Amino acid sequence: MAALAPVFAHIDQNAGKIVADLQELCRQPSISTTHVGVEEMAALVQRRLERTGFKATLHRTQGHPIVTGIHPGAGKKTLLFYNHYDVQPVEPLSEWTSPPFEARVVDGHVIARGSTDNKGNIVSRLAAFEALLAVRGELPCTVKYLIEGEEEIGSPSLETFIPANKGLLAADGCVWEDTFREDVPVLDLGNKGLLYLELTCRTANVDFHSSNGQIYENAAWRLVWALNSMKDEQENVKVEGFFDDVAPLTAKEEELLRRIPPYGGEERKRRFALRRFVRDLPDAELPRRHLTEPSFNIAGFDAGYTGEGVKTIVAGRARAKLDFRLVVAQDPEKIRDCIRRHLDKHGFSDIGVRMLFRSYPAKSDPESGLVRACERASRHLYAKDAVINPFGTGGTPTWMVIRGLGMPLVSTGVGYVTARTHSANENLKVEHLIEGAKYMAAICEEFGSR
């Protein structure tokens, strides 16, 4: 790492400029759900890549633009970086301590929608490349960049863009978007899949006065009973076939799992006012359940009257949103079919099942050279071994690269568990932004020089 000392010094000397760059990106709204500011953001990202020295291209899609870039490097290897420029909606506005697109720096934190997810990661990487180029005049390896604008809505355009542009994106490995870390980086080597279903129940074409509750069927109760048939109070999933395709862990994955530190359960309970953990699991058992098991979650439920005050009705319709985090090698379409069969078998054939979204689970090789490079970079920067999670937890579409391009992948970057991503007062600590730029420079160096 001695060879990188001047690069790190350059990053430190330009810390104020790096923060200003983040503020510039965060001040441009780019909400993919409502399409607000997306075109302007894509153009800004293209200009920002070009300013760093990349040959950048803005690709039109059926949805939001995708921006790619390439910068040649000294070594024989090529490293692909992925990020997204779109952000979540900002509501509720009343919970923000400062306007979400003002990007104020408060107590050493940039507070803005997108500050961590994902614009802070874009800026940290560009800052790393700029420092390497300023000090050395070249990058350690050829760098390709892929920045999309639909990650927060499931990346529908990316699913067709990647197979149509395999040559453009070809590389020896991919550094994906950020993962959250506490004291050292986490290396996620993939992601769980995601299935999102909408269940609907209609028992009448109107809601009735609740004095008829003794004679008219209530759609809310019927849907509750259907949901209750699928999962019990001990968190046991009772849908036949749900676990059929769950792949056993390899010996290497078991080893990595043992090395993941226990979760700080009491701290999480305090911070988030948690009543308890599922099954009252102790800290040491939380990582295994969280990382290696699929979930069966009710994401939303509505029926009848849900406004303020009193309205006495029998609900004629009810709706539930379910999401399932799936592990290798579960298939979202097969899980949807399991849900349909279960409802039919248990007398709920009238309940509708509609798939709103799906993505596939994928995992990368924990023995790859890219993992080793990230491990070495973490050791040098933080004087600690990175935590390697071979499974991933979120729904970001790493499967499109792991399966579609056949290259090793590591998700790592900036952003702590306290960054409040997707929530009001999303933030990124300036110190972590600067550390992240050094970390990305070290990854390029370690990957390109071996």
Side-chain angles (χ1 to χ4, degrees):
M1 283 291 108
L4 280 176
V7 176
F8 293 166
H10 184 277
I11 291 171
D12 286 330
Q13 292 160 9
N14 287 273
K17 175 179 171 294
I18 295 169
V19 172
D21 287 344
L22 176 56
Q23 290 175 301
E24 179 187 23
L25 294 192
C26 289
R27 285 169 180 158
Q28 173 57 58
S30 52
I31 304 171
S32 50
T33 301
T34 57
H35 317 292
V36 172
V38 168
E39 289 288 337
E40 295 85 348
M41 189 69 216
L44 177 57
V45 166
Q46 181 183 14
R47 293 195 301 272
R48 192 61 187 76
L49 284 175
E50 290 171 343
R51 196 183 93 189
T52 305
F54 281 76
K55 180 182 178 182
T57 305
L58 190 149
H59 306 264
R60 292 291 168 185
T61 72
Q62 291 184 339
H64 300 158
I66 292 173
V67 181
T68 63
I70 184 169
H71 197 298
K76 295 180 180 180
K77 292 182 179 179
T78 298
L79 191 53
L80 173 67
F81 285 82
Y82 164 91
N83 283 114
H84 62 90
Y85 62 78
D86 63 316
V87 301
Q88 285 278 326
V90 298
E91 287 77 12
L93 277 170
S94 61
E95 294 185 7
W96 287 81
T97 58
S98 62
F101 295 115
E102 191 172 292
R104 290 183 190 173
V105 179
V106 180
D107 295 330
H109 295 75
V110 179
I111 300 177
R113 172 60 83 233
S115 55
T116 289
D117 186 15
N118 196 236
K119 295 174 183 179
N121 283 273
I122 296 174
V123 170
S124 69
R125 293 168 181 197
L126 293 178
F129 305 147
E130 289 173 349
L132 286 163
L133 291 167
V135 172
R136 297 180 177 178
E138 61 184 8
L139 298 176
C141 57
T142 294
V143 170
K144 293 183 177 181
Y145 221 142
L146 169 64
I147 306 178
E148 62 149 326
E150 297 176 340
E151 195 272 346
E152 301 292 5
I153 55 173
S155 304
S157 297
L158 196 65
E159 189 170 351
T160 55
F161 181 83
I162 285 179
N165 292 274
K166 287 186 176 181
L168 175 67
L169 302 174
D172 299 294
C174 176
V175 178
W176 199 254
E177 62 170 318
D178 66 304
T179 190
F180 302 154
R181 55 195 173 92
E182 295 187 13
D183 54 345
V184 294
V186 174
L187 310 181
D188 278 344
L189 308 188
N191 276 96
K192 289 183 178 179
L194 175 62
L195 170 64
Y196 200 103
L197 298 179
E198 180 180 79
L199 271 57
T200 53
C201 180
R202 171 73 74 174
T203 55
N205 60 9
V206 295
D207 292 336
F208 297 102
H209 192 290
S210 66
S211 63
N212 296 296
Q214 309 94 318
I215 60 172
Y216 290 149
E217 188 178 28
N218 188 310
W221 276 116
R222 180 152 182 78
L223 187 52
V224 165
W225 293 326
L227 294 169
N228 189 59
S229 75
M230 292 189 279
K231 188 178 182 182
D232 65 22
E233 293 183 13
Q234 287 72 47
E235 299 284 334
N236 297 307
V237 176
K238 299 188 287 185
V239 175
E240 292 183 10
F242 186 81
F243 295 100
D244 283 359
D245 296 325
V246 174
L249 303 185
T250 66
K252 180 63 177 179
E253 288 167 350
E254 286 284 3
E255 174 195 341
L256 293 173
L257 190 61
R258 287 192 294 271
R259 288 165 49 187
I260 294 176
Y263 290 0
E266 291 305 314
E267 170 61 17
R268 292 192 184 202
K269 287 179 183 178
R270 183 195 64 76
R271 180 180 298 163
F272 303 120
L274 295 174
R275 189 175 73 88
R276 58 187 284 263
F277 286 102
V278 165
R279 295 177 177 172
D280 294 315
L281 291 169
D283 291 4
E285 293 181 25
L286 290 172
R288 175 177 289 274
R289 180 167 174 84
H290 184 211
L291 302 177
T292 71
E293 296 186 22
S295 69
F296 194 116
N297 180 57
I298 299 176
F301 188 100
D302 67 88
Y305 179 67
T306 58
E308 295 295 327
V310 176
K311 184 181 181 183
T312 54
I313 60 170
V314 176
R317 54 156 296 279
R319 178 177 61 171
K321 307 276 190 177
L322 306 183
D323 74 59
F324 309 82
R325 301 290 174 167
L326 307 178
V327 299
V328 178
Q330 288 179 300
D331 182 280
E333 283 88 357
K334 290 179 69 174
I335 298 299
R336 175 203 55 198
D337 294 343
C338 287
I339 299 296
R340 178 72 272 168
R341 285 195 300 270
H342 174 92
L343 290 170
D344 293 344
K345 179 179 178 180
H346 289 80
F348 297 104
S349 58
D350 58 301
I351 290 179
V353 177
R354 184 161 70 106
M355 183 168 68
L356 301 183
F357 179 77
R358 64 91 181 97
S359 67
Y360 296 91
K363 58 182 179 180
S364 188
D365 180 10
E367 306 279 12
S368 72
L370 179 58
V371 173
R372 298 286 173 261
C374 292
E375 282 187 292
R376 291 191 295 268
S378 173
R379 228 171 271 127
H380 289 308
L381 260 296
Y382 303 97
K384 294 181 180 179
D385 290 331
V387 174
I388 301 176
N389 173 11
F391 315 103
T393 55
T396 192
T398 58
W399 64 274
M400 297 183 190
V401 167
I402 295 172
R403 294 186 179 194
L405 297 178
M407 67 177 68
L409 179 147
V410 173
S411 179
T412 193
V414 301
Y416 277 42
V417 71
T418 54
R420 298 181 65 90
T421 57
H422 293 202
S423 298
N425 301 313
E426 180 179 348
N427 65 87
L428 179 60
K429 194 173 183 180
V430 169
E431 176 189 348
H432 299 160
L433 174 66
I434 303 307
E435 286 178 352
K438 296 176 184 178
Y439 179 43
M440 290 298 117
I443 289 173
C444 285
E445 175 83 343
E446 289 290 348
F447 186 73
S449 62
R450 300 185 186 227

